[in-house]
Amino acid sequence: MLGKTYLTKQASLLLEFARTTSDSDLSAKLISKAADLKSQADPLPDKDQGPKAPDVADISPGDPTGR
């Protein structure tokens, strides 16, 4: 499953491309696709909830030893 951050970034890029093109049909299609991606991203949580890499430890900022 794709995360909210990824979908939002992709929608933003599509809107940027839509603004730079002089082809109105292409611009409309890019805007439509950006809206689709935004609607997919909206119900997702704000932070992507992917699994942590095995070498990542939960260390609090005040405890450099990780205990």
Side-chain angles (χ1 to χ4, degrees):
M1 172 174 225
L2 300 175
K4 184 173 190 167
T5 303
Y6 175 81
L7 292 171
T8 303
K9 179 67 175 174
Q10 295 304 309
S12 175
L13 289 171
L14 288 175
L15 290 174
E16 184 178 328
F17 293 147
R19 280 188 222 108
T20 61
T21 186
S22 59
D23 184 338
S24 60
D25 289 335
L26 176 59
S27 180
K29 289 176 184 175
L30 291 171
I31 292 170
S32 176
K33 183 59 180 173
D36 290 344
L37 291 175
K38 175 91 170 83
S39 69
Q40 290 177 34
D42 283 342
L44 297 175
D46 284 338
K47 293 188 177 188
D48 294 341
Q49 301 291 325
K52 291 184 180 178
D55 61 339
V56 174
D58 287 326
I59 300 174
S60 65
D63 185 6
T65 63
R67 291 184 218 145

